[in-house]
Amino acid sequence: EDQVTQSPEALRLQEGESSSLNCSYTVSGLRGLFWYRQDPGKGPEFLFTLYSAGEEKEKERLKATLTKKESFLHITAPKPEDSATYLCAVTGAQKLVFGQGTRLTINP
Amino acid sequence: GAGVSQSPRYKVAKRGQDVALRCDPISGHVSLFWYQQALGQGPEFLTYFQNEAQLDKSGLPSDRFFAERPEGSVSTLKIQRTQQEDSAVYLCASSPGNTGELFFGEGSRLTVL
């Protein structure tokens, strides 16, 4: 059974303080690993897809990396508007299996 | 519309009532998914359609849950005889193919009293 575990559950940073979120996964035949952002009261919003170990994707202050067992979402010099829940998901077939998310708070 | 539309946004039901939640996906999107999200948790898969065919319903928690997409566009998730444990946000997502890049609606928040 496909499984995704994210850590930490919650993270509070000061504005400008860089950090990383972790996503560990087990899946039979990885077809893709996905990062989504979810704001309160909203549906998840797609950020990145990673397909193979060693791959990296960047968007503004965010960079996602992938190994054979885990993915990291690096946040560089975050701003308060980066506050959200970040969800990791994997797919081995058609459906996405999500982790429980990391709730990130950036204090000004 | 520009995005996935879900209605109602909020629904309060008494235990034992039936509810129907509607999802209007992005026009032309072949794939449609329903997810259930409890407070503080990640979305949990319920069911998946490709056009009008329901290809995977393995996540439906009981036979009280039923989903349909009769014309390959709008989908309805129906919950019969609601229970308190059904309280959650029900998210609908659509995708143009099998990329895994899903476009989510804002969800329908169901509260069962």
Side-chain angles (χ1 to χ4, degrees):
Chain A
E1 183 178 334
D2 301 346
Q3 286 193 328
V4 178
T5 302
Q6 293 187 245
S7 62
E9 289 189 7
L11 180 63
R12 189 178 293 270
L13 301 171
Q14 290 299 121
E15 184 173 1
E17 181 184 2
S18 301
S19 188
S20 297
L21 313 182
N22 178 264
C23 169
S24 297
Y25 65 91
T26 56
V27 63
S28 52
L30 179 71
R31 289 180 56 194
L33 183 139
F34 305 85
W35 284 96
Y36 282 78
R37 169 187 171 133
Q38 187 172 27
D39 293 299
K42 305 289 187 182
E45 178 184 350
F46 171 79
L47 291 173
F48 303 110
T49 308
L50 300 167
Y51 293 104
S52 57
E55 190 175 359
E56 298 183 354
K57 293 275 181 72
E58 284 191 64
K59 180 179 180 180
E60 296 181 357
R61 295 174 293 281
L62 300 177
K63 183 170 79 172
T65 62
L66 181 64
T67 73
K68 288 186 177 180
K69 296 289 186 184
E70 57 192 350
S71 176
F72 293 92
L73 184 65
H74 307 278
I75 302 176
T76 302
K79 298 181 178 182
E81 53 262 41
D82 295 322
S83 297
T85 295
Y86 290 86
L87 296 163
C88 173
V90 296
T91 181
Q94 302 292 346
K95 65 186 182 187
L96 291 190
V97 175
F98 283 88
Q100 79 276 23
T102 293
R103 189 173 65 255
L104 177 66
T105 304
I106 308 299
N107 294 317
Chain B
V4 177
S5 178
Q6 292 189 244
S7 60
R9 287 294 318 279
Y10 304 93
K11 176 69 178 178
V12 178
K14 292 183 179 179
R15 191 174 61 178
Q17 282 186 331
D18 298 347
V19 300
L21 308 177
R22 175 189 168 104
C23 173
D24 203 337
I26 294 173
S27 177
H29 278 195
V30 169
S31 301
L32 186 145
F33 299 79
W34 284 98
Y35 282 83
Q36 180 190 61
Q37 187 172 28
L39 190 64
Q41 300 298 312
E44 295 276 347
F45 172 80
L46 294 177
T47 187
Y48 158 62
F49 290 85
Q50 187 169 312
N51 295 306
E52 69 278 3
Q54 189 174 21
L55 299 186
D56 188 343
K57 56 181 181 179
S58 62
L60 296 177
S62 76
D63 58 8
R64 296 186 295 105
F65 287 71
F66 171 78
E68 61 182 4
R69 192 186 186 197
E71 297 179 356
S73 178
V74 171
S75 177
T76 304
L77 177 66
K78 298 179 179 178
I79 308 173
Q80 297 178 324
R81 305 181 301 282
T82 52
Q83 304 294 316
Q84 284 190 324
E85 60 263 28
D86 300 335
S87 296
V89 175
Y90 290 86
L91 293 165
C92 176
S94 69
S95 173
N98 296 327
T99 64
E101 181 181 345
L102 302 186
F103 295 81
F104 282 85
E106 295 196 323
S108 292
R109 180 179 297 277
L110 172 65
T111 302
V112 181
L113 302 178

